[in-house]
Amino acid sequence: MGGLLDGIRVIELSHVMAAPTCGLHLSDMGADVIKVERLPDGDTVRRNGPFVGGESAGFAMMNRGKRGVALDLRSGGGRAILRRLADQADVFIENYRRGAMEHYGVGWESVRGTNPRLVYCTVSGYGATGPLAGQGGFDLVAQGMSGLMSITGEGPGRPPVKVGAPVTDITAGTLAAMGILGALVARGRTGEGQYVDTSLYEAGIMHTYWQSAIFLNSGEVPAAMGSAHPMMAPYQAFPTADGWINVGSANQGLWLKLVELLGAPELADDERFAEPPQRIENLDRLVDVLTPLFRAKSTAEWQALLDGAGIPAGPVYDVAEMAADPQTRARGMIRETETREGSAMRVLGHPVKYSAAETPVRRPSPALGEHNREVLLEFGYDGAEIDAFEESGAIGGE
């Protein structure tokens, strides 16, 4: 089986995480993703540890499967190469500040004139329009401004808490990949490319679906609830004798099963907890009642009992426990590649499975400028021209 995007050529002028996440998804689906880095230093993530065989594990995570070109975009030669790459690509991805692409000679309005089939994607902090369009984007700031930090944490009156993962970066990159795929489908009908624009800010807002539904239609401003849910209960983590377990009694039938399992059938007749609205209204008291019951057994014991009763539940893992779980392995979510010196580098796999396409890790992450010559030959430069670019410093690398 081949890849879903075999034959699609992607130029990814990117750094850090949002656009690299987008390119990672497309590469996993079979696209030829060429990561373009700016000389002299390339992507700043290259200098972030931990290191395996002298290579950044973080950089490998986001950039395995891609080829690498390194250009001095301060030079005319470097900008000319970038323009040729864009003119012959199917997809162009970038996540630099507004105006940078125009400065480098590859702005959307310019490139669409010479490559009308190009799908051109910008991933930014706040989007290409609006009063904040010119500002750079950072996950922490986007989580705060999108409302996400106001609903994350222990509860009202506690300090704001960010989601532990850079969720707006990762989500923006995933949304960008989704938008690109939609634009490629549309191109198949019309023959024309288009501009795709998403942001960290919108990615954060998207994660407030439930809370925004509450506010926009009731005027109530939702607050942080720890691991609890704003619309259903009990639907949260409870302490056990040796850890924590998430319990998802998300409807009335599951609630009635749960109280029987807990040995507290009288709770079914307690007017404070009779129906979902009452359980939400009295959530603090509900948690006080249920917590000592869950503390009576271990996580594994509760997991077995809850599974047997058909009540959704699962342990609260740390990352090491997640990586060791047989389900993680069965789904191919831990893959192995190599550093250039031959050391094993472990990375995460593609999170979607297909019946008629494969998503292998096709190659390790590239060294800075590793594929300069290979790529430039494919884009029509001859050996003498490439030698001249090397001598002038328009291309370079490790």
Side-chain angles (χ1 to χ4, degrees):
M1 292 186 292
L4 294 169
L5 298 179
D6 284 352
I8 296 296
R9 176 176 280 173
V10 178
I11 304 302
E12 178 197 304
L13 179 57
S14 71
H15 59 154
V16 191
M17 197 167 207
T21 297
C22 176
L24 177 68
H25 291 321
L26 300 180
S27 173
D28 281 348
M29 286 186 274
D32 176 20
V33 178
I34 300 167
K35 183 181 177 74
V36 178
E37 297 177 75
R38 297 186 301 181
L39 292 172
D41 298 319
D43 193 326
T44 59
V45 177
R46 288 186 177 276
R47 296 185 288 283
N48 294 348
F51 297 94
V52 178
E55 297 180 27
S56 164
F59 184 82
M61 183 68 74
M62 306 312 304
N63 295 286
R64 84 290 189 289
K66 304 173 186 178
R67 294 194 287 171
V69 170
L71 304 177
D72 182 357
L73 295 178
R74 299 165 298 184
S75 70
R79 292 193 295 273
I81 293 169
L82 180 62
R83 180 56 186 255
R84 182 177 293 196
L85 298 181
D87 280 344
Q88 296 184 29
D90 295 289
V91 177
F92 185 90
I93 309 165
E94 62 90 11
N95 67 331
Y96 284 85
R97 282 182 182 264
R98 187 171 66 171
M101 295 305 103
E102 287 74 16
H103 177 70
Y104 296 145
V106 289
W108 159 243
E109 292 297 339
S110 174
V111 178
R112 68 188 298 195
T114 50
N115 186 1
R117 289 177 54 81
L118 182 67
V119 173
Y120 190 113
C121 179
T122 294
V123 187
S124 61
Y126 301 94
T129 56
L132 298 180
Q135 293 193 21
F138 297 89
D139 172 72
L140 174 65
V141 178
Q143 286 201 33
M145 290 186 63
S146 66
L148 193 53
M149 284 176 67
S150 76
I151 57 172
T152 305
E154 295 179 349
R158 303 292 292 169
V161 176
K162 70 180 286 292
V163 178
V167 66
T168 66
D169 272 318
I170 295 169
T171 304
T174 304
L175 292 174
M178 179 184 73
I180 287 167
L181 295 175
L184 286 172
V185 171
R187 189 183 74 173
R189 296 195 306 268
T190 68
E192 296 288 327
Q194 61 184 289
Y195 184 64
V196 177
D197 162 31
T198 192
S199 69
L200 277 63
Y201 184 54
E202 288 157 296
I205 290 173
M206 189 187 75
H207 286 286
T208 71
Y209 277 147
W210 284 131
Q211 289 79 9
S212 290
I214 292 168
F215 168 70
L216 294 173
N217 296 284
S218 73
E220 177 187 347
V221 180
M225 300 177 63
S227 60
H229 194 283
M231 295 181 179
M232 56 192 73
Y235 190 92
Q236 64 184 85
F238 289 96
T240 66
D242 63 352
W244 291 82
I245 191 165
N246 278 316
V247 179
S249 276
N251 59 46
Q252 191 67 8
L254 291 172
W255 164 247
L256 295 176
K257 285 185 178 182
L258 180 65
V259 297
E260 291 292 334
L261 188 68
L262 290 170
E266 69 278 5
L267 294 178
D269 299 319
D270 191 318
E271 63 182 15
R272 298 173 301 173
F273 314 133
E275 296 286 342
Q278 286 75 46
R279 292 197 289 279
I280 289 293
E281 183 179 344
N282 297 288
L283 182 60
D284 289 345
R285 278 171 278 186
L286 177 65
V287 172
D288 289 342
V289 169
L290 298 185
T291 293
L293 300 177
F294 278 108
R295 285 192 186 275
K297 292 181 173 63
S298 70
T299 298
E301 289 173 318
W302 280 122
Q303 185 70 60
L305 291 168
L306 291 160
D307 283 348
I311 299 171
V316 178
Y317 280 159
D318 61 26
V319 175
E321 291 167 323
M322 173 278 291
D325 191 282
Q327 184 66 19
T328 305
R329 301 292 177 152
R331 294 295 289 173
M333 286 307 296
I334 306 294
R335 303 287 182 90
E336 191 167 289
T337 182
E338 289 187 348
T339 66
R340 287 177 292 284
E341 69 167 23
S343 300
M345 177 81 80
R346 295 199 300 167
V347 297
L348 294 183
H350 188 62
V352 183
K353 310 302 183 283
Y354 310 95
S355 64
E358 294 181 336
T359 57
V361 177
R362 301 172 191 274
R363 63 177 78 233
S365 59
L368 184 63
E370 178 179 350
H371 301 101
N372 285 345
R373 183 168 292 270
E374 175 184 307
V375 169
L376 266 58
L377 286 169
E378 292 176 10
F379 277 77
Y381 291 105
D382 62 31
E385 290 173 306
I386 297 170
D387 290 340
F389 284 136
E390 289 178 341
E391 292 173 7
S392 70
I395 63 175
E398 297 177 6

